Amino acid sequence: MITMRNSIISLFLFLVMITGFAQTTGIGQWRDHLPYSNCIAVKEVGSRIYCATPYSIFYYDKEDNSIQRINKINGLSDIGISAMNYNATYNTLVIAYTNANIDLIKNNTILNISDIKRASILGNKTINDIYFIGQYAYLSCGFGIVVLDVDKEEIHDTYYIGTNGAQINVLGLTKDDQDTLFAATEKNGIYLAYAKSPNLANYQSWKQDTRLTIVKKYDNIITFNGQVVVSQYQTSPAADTLYRYSNGQWGKWVMDFSSPVSHMEASHGKLVISCDHFVKYFDQDFNLINGIYSYNGAYPSPSDAVFDAGGLIWIADKNAGLVFLDQNGAFTPINLSGPLTSLVFGMTAFGNDVYVVPGGRDPSYSPLFPMPTEIYHYNNASWTNFTPLTDPNLGQLFDLCTVSIDPSDPRRIFVGSWGRGLAELYDGKMINRYGYWNSTLRNHSESNDTSDIRVGGTAFDSDGNLWVVNSRNNWCISRYCKTCNPKWTGYNVPILGNDDLGQLIIDHNNQKWVIMRILTSVPGTLLVFKEDATTPANSKYIMLNQQPGNGNIPGQAVFAMAVDKNGQVWVGTEKGIGVFFNPENIFTGQDFDAQQILVQQGAYVQYLMENEKVTALAVDGANRKWIGTEGGGLYLFSEDGTKQINHFTTENSPLLSDNILALAIGPETGEVFIGTDQGLVSYKGTATEGDENFSCVYAYPNPVKEDYDGLIGIKCLVTNAQVRITDIEGNLIFSTKAEGGQAVWDGKNFNGRKAKSGVYLVYAGNNTGTQKIVTKILIIH
């Protein structure tokens, strides 16, 4: 027996009910923004219906109609769920992951079993399916079978069942009433073994069943009413052939459909078969009871389906999420707010709005067509998804890679497509599409398709004008001014040639900075452009690179840029960070080269992030720098970059991945939205944008109740305000300086003791003392 080290995480479940998802996230807390429409498994657990997505699980409680999420933020140990099953006898829900990690949920407690994940097993370790015999969960894995004792919470045994003990990909397992084990494999047919054999770990205990073709893929297997049912996958056309095993013989089960089978489930005396586009269920004599071919007119894509004790059918759908057929014969979706996919390529935030586009282009700047024509919008309460289903005009686009919010009207956004120009949306509806025919945007110079306009970056300047960059054309920069006539102005940059251009930012001098893709024939890393509004032909431009005197950029490629509150331009490369402290000097002949920041690391001094590939940058309300990396997680540094404040990784935080793709910070909330290659999460930072006055100052939470142990925020302060907190008698309890527009208090006095119950006064003032405010906080213990 292999004993295991279990890491136990209490589920004091800050489980987020769907009705409470929009509630304020506490400072220093995380929340997920994961897709919940792609469901892969569903199980009945008492009054609850548990549903799994590749990223997390959730359940619907039929007794109180609540919906609760469980994910890496509030208990799960991982992402990438591959299978889920429930053992009613031992009241244990087993959750398996593609990396062979395992979580058990027992009595509102999550226990992590990571032995298989940590084991040195070469090849595929995915857990494909879970089958129970008594207290044992038989895990069908990419290398064989692992037996997990759910009562003792430890690995019991491992079976390598291939020839001479070789690894084979086992996709499912079942046992018939004669105690014969049937293991369905990807390429090696079906293997048989006697379940009561004293040494199932010996490969010689397993034999291929030659009564069926042994070189086929068998991807679903189940025992129902004394018979074994298995699906044999056919590649062309894609479909499954079903076989039934009874009285020692296999027979083809001729069905009136030809479709790949997603899953089979024995559920309250019915056999439920989920296929690519429908669900059928059968009685114990294998007679068809009914079929489900649409959800109120919509086409289904079921992954799994079960009946509950009350006779309702619940379907885990790849597109529609969790759906059930109610007593009136109508299909009802269980809606959870979230983006449609986990993909993040471009992201921006303004006010309370966050917009995400999924992509994009590949690292060589080639289109990824067809990427989803989707836009995900978060309004600080819930997600809304814009697709060709919500607006057919969006079907004209593909490969969306950049999005900008109109600061004069946040209901208007502009979305850049890598191959179909620029789209203008208002309230989620496309009202204009800009291209060669109605703007100064120009197509790929090597393409005869004039609509092949690859928009790499968009940004608004301080005057409210939209700037747009398109690739592979010297007429690469355009300005859109909605109050001008004409509205579009194009700018020629003849030094570029057929260069690919990406992200665009605008500095405090109204200079446009554009990321360039590095080519061996092109020496440029960044393009900096300064317009001459009177005579566009006199506009200035320069390509910057690694050379001293011409940029001095660390590294060969720039992957991220940000302008801080002092007007400095920060750039991220494969060799860390470079800072242009004097961007206003670029076209004056004076020194403007980027500098690297020296930081103390123990006894050593090194350049900031010099061993990291920096892929995302953002500046918060306190002018601190958030730095995303490839493989190194997320960093928070002080304003000048010399002090590391936080370093979040998958090991020490709910971060979904250490590969950061995009960052955006909600200026009013201080919430940092973190796009990774595994999905989107957010972290409630301590800094917000400062206000011009104290017109709306408030503290939250307020009152502070006895069960609250987080930070207390004082919001809507002027930038970097001085804050003092006293008791009602005027005794000073705490003092601090606002981080941008928000100050935080841990609810303790200078001695580190919790403040007693009562009313506390918050005095805030600007640095000159010309603006002051007093507000109150009530603490209840």
Side-chain angles (χ1 to χ4, degrees), residues 597-600 608 625 636-646:
I597 296 172
L598 290 171
V599 294
Q600 188 82 28
L608 176 63
K625 310 308 185 292
L636 171 61
F637 277 88
S638 60
E639 177 177 1
D640 61 3
T642 61
K643 180 182 178 182
Q644 180 179 307
I645 300 170
N646 275 316

Side-chain angles (χ1 to χ4, degrees), residues 340-616:
L340 286 177
T341 73
S342 63
L343 300 172
V344 181
F345 190 91
M347 182 164 56
T348 190
F350 181 82
N352 285 318
D353 295 292
V354 176
Y355 282 90
V356 177
V357 287
R361 56 175 186 263
D362 65 17
S364 68
Y365 280 56
S366 296
L368 292 177
F369 179 79
M371 285 295 289
T373 305
E374 298 169 349
I375 305 162
Y376 315 139
H377 173 217
Y378 182 65
N379 65 357
N380 203 34
S382 61
W383 286 90
T384 303
N385 300 295
F386 308 131
T387 73
L389 292 177
T390 63
D391 180 6
N393 289 325
L394 290 175
Q396 303 173 38
L397 308 173
F398 58 78
D399 289 351
L400 306 181
C401 61
T402 179
V403 56
S404 292
I405 304 171
D406 186 343
S408 66
D409 187 350
R411 293 181 295 176
R412 187 188 314 276
I413 64 170
F414 291 84
V415 179
S417 165
W418 197 250
R420 284 297 179 266
L422 180 76
E424 179 183 2
L425 281 76
Y426 197 82
D427 283 338
K429 301 296 183 181
M430 192 169 84
I431 59 174
N432 282 305
R433 179 178 159 217
Y434 299 105
Y436 192 98
W437 56 93
N438 63 354
S439 75
T440 54
L441 300 177
R442 293 295 176 261
N443 60 291
H444 189 304
S445 60
E446 297 175 1
S447 173
N448 293 324
D449 181 3
T450 56
S451 65
D452 185 6
I453 297 173
R454 303 182 181 186
V455 176
T458 56
F460 280 91
D461 65 20
S462 57
D463 295 322
N465 300 314
L466 178 71
W467 290 82
V468 186
V469 171
N470 58 256
S471 282
R472 294 291 182 108
N473 195 298
N474 285 347
W475 289 91
C476 61
I477 295 180
S478 293
R479 184 193 66 184
Y480 172 72
C481 171
K482 57 188 174 185
T483 60
C484 300
N485 187 17
K487 292 184 177 181
W488 285 91
T489 304
Y491 296 87
N492 183 22
V493 184
I495 60 174
L496 286 179
N498 290 328
D499 293 327
D500 285 312
L501 304 177
Q503 180 186 353
L504 163 69
I505 63 170
I506 302 175
D507 67 18
H508 290 186
N509 304 293
N510 230 9
Q511 296 173 145
K512 288 73 187 174
W513 297 66
V514 184
I515 290 177
M516 303 175 61
R517 182 170 75 93
I518 296 300
L519 299 171
T520 55
S521 59
V522 179
T525 302
L526 285 175
L527 169 68
V528 183
F529 172 84
K530 187 172 184 178
E531 68 166 321
D532 186 322
T534 304
T535 310
N538 292 337
S539 298
K540 299 176 182 179
Y541 37 79
I542 186 174
M543 285 194 296
L544 307 182
N545 55 32
Q546 290 179 289
Q547 298 300 316
N550 198 56
N552 196 38
I553 297 171
Q556 290 189 334
V558 173
F559 299 98
M561 302 182 296
V563 182
D564 76 4
K565 299 195 176 301
N566 297 323
Q568 299 167 0
V569 177
W570 291 57
V571 298
T573 76
E574 82 278 9
K575 292 187 177 181
I577 297 288
V579 183
F580 290 89
F581 290 101
N582 303 107
E584 68 277 5
N585 289 345
I586 287 182
F587 295 105
T588 66
Q590 301 179 57
D591 178 44
F592 63 84
D593 272 356
Q595 305 296 318
Q596 291 178 274
I597 296 172
L598 290 171
V599 294
Q600 188 82 28
Q601 295 286 340
Y604 300 95
V605 175
Q606 65 182 43
Y607 290 123
L608 176 63
M609 309 294 292
E610 67 175 334
N611 297 315
E612 299 276 8
K613 179 179 178 180
V614 175
T615 53

Side-chain angles (χ1 to χ4, degrees), residues 37-42 51-56 80-84 96 262-263 302-305 316-318 321:
S37 56
N38 176 16
C39 294
I40 60 173
V42 59
C51 192
T53 77
Y55 317 98
S56 63
I81 296 173
S82 58
M84 179 179 72
S262 302
H263 194 73
S303 296
D304 191 10
D317 193 277
K318 301 181 187 73

Side-chain angles (χ1 to χ4, degrees), residues 17 42-50 58-68 267-268 306-315 322-327 332 334:
M17 291 179 60
V42 59
K43 301 298 169 199
E44 180 189 22
V45 181
S47 66
R48 298 173 178 176
I49 303 296
Y50 275 82
F58 64 94
Y59 68 76
Y60 174 77
D61 195 318
K62 294 179 290 182
E63 291 185 348
D64 59 12
N65 297 320
S66 64
I67 303 174
Q68 297 183 325
S267 181
H268 293 286
V306 296
F307 279 90
D308 66 13
L312 298 181
I313 189 168
W314 298 79
I315 302 170
L322 178 61
V323 180
F324 75 95
L325 179 63
D326 65 25
Q327 300 288 4
T332 303
I334 304 299

Side-chain angles (χ1 to χ4, degrees), residues 133-159:
I133 302 177
Q135 71 193 67
Y136 298 109
Y138 288 74
L139 311 177
S140 299
C141 302
F143 55 87
I145 300 167
V146 175
V147 184
L148 168 67
D149 189 327
V150 298
D151 184 35
K152 297 181 179 179
E153 299 153 9
E154 63 184 21
I155 295 296
H156 177 72
D157 216 338
T158 302
Y159 309 149

